[in-house]
């Protein structure tokens, strides 16, 4: 299992140390951009994303929780940006996927807990990542919604059946036990915020997810 710590719950006053503390064992750094419209919360914008990219050697996995992702794709295109993921519930998300690929980055599509896999079926052959939310997007520290496991399984079956290449990533409510359930359902990457950043020994926490 690949692990992407979510920087959302880190201490931003000590950003450099926080990034250092998760470097070992992590595969990506998950970066949540929120606009206060698509979700009822605001996190940070491209200027902070740029700083994260400069301070950490980890590839950035950028999760755009914004109403108009097409306006933000180019603004989060930094040298260490690996994935840019847009929500299927956002405006012009299909054009955003095209734009992400055009600028040479890997494109992801994300579905909220109430959005079905059927909604994104036509886009599955084009994307590099499908992000399944384990909670309602907007805040860290919520409990994993068990019914999302079925979607992971569905995406995993479709991937095998059609030979698709996307990663199956799960975000929200991840701990050692939900990560295991996600792995069994076919997930390839888990995102974890509070499970990693609310504890001193981060290396151990990351290992337990792997
Ligand atoms: C929530 C964000 C997540 C969040 C996960 O909307 O997309 O990345 O940081 O936090 P935990 O792991 O605490 O559920
Ligand atoms: Zn996220």
């Amino acid at each position: 299992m690949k692990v992407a710590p979510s920087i959302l719950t880190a201490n931003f006053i000590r950003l450099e140390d926080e990034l250092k503390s998760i470097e070992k064992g992590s595969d990506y750094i998950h970066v949540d951009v929120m606009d206060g419209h698509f979700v009822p919360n605001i996190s940070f914008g491209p200027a902070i994303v740029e700083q994260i990219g400069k301070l950490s050697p980890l590839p950035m996995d950028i999760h755009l929780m914004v109403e108009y992702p097409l306006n933000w794709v180019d603004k989060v295109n930094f040298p260490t940006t690996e994935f840019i993921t847009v929500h299927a519930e956002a405006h012009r998300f299909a054009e955003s996927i095209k734009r992400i690929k055009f600028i040479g980055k890997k494109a992801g599509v994300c579905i909220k807990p109430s959005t079905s896999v059927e909604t994104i079926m036509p886009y599955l052959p084009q994307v590099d990542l499908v992000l399944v939310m384990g909670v309602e997007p907007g805040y860290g520290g919520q409990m994993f919604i068990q019914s999302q496991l079925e979607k992971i399984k569905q995406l995993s079956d479709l991937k095998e059946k059609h030979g698709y290449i996307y990663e199956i990533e799960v975000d929200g409510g991840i701990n050692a036990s939900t990560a295991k359930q996600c792995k069994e359902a076919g997930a390839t990457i888990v995102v974890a915020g509070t499970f990693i950043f609310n504890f001193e020994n981060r290396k151990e926490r990351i290992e337990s997810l792997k």
Side-chain angles (χ1 to χ4, degrees), residues 6 8 30-34 61-65 87 110 131 133 137-138 169-172 191:
S6 168
L8 187 68
H30 184 82
V31 180
D32 287 309
V33 175
M34 303 176 183
D61 165 34
I62 300 174
H63 179 191
L64 293 179
M65 281 167 274
H87 270 264
C110 182
L131 178 54
M133 289 307 301
E169 183 177 48
V170 190
D171 183 10
V191 175

Side-chain angles (χ1 to χ4, degrees), residues 80-117:
T80 62
T81 301
E82 177 96 5
F83 295 104
I84 303 176
T85 297
V86 296
H87 270 264
E89 305 86 1
H91 289 277
R92 299 172 76 181
F93 83 93
E95 286 166 81
S96 305
I97 290 171
K98 283 207 184 93
R99 182 68 198 169
I100 297 163
K101 295 184 89 91
F102 180 79
I103 62 173
K105 298 296 178 181
K106 292 183 184 160
V109 63
C110 182
I111 47 176
K112 286 190 190 182
S114 55
T115 305
S116 69
V117 168

Side-chain angles (χ1 to χ4, degrees), residues 150-167:
E150 193 44 51
K151 286 193 211 168
I152 301 168
K153 179 87 182 53
Q154 218 181 327
L155 285 162
S156 174
D157 290 346
L158 285 165
K159 185 175 166 177
E160 201 178 301
K161 184 171 168 208
H162 299 283
Y164 296 147
I165 53 118
Y166 52 75
E167 299 275 0

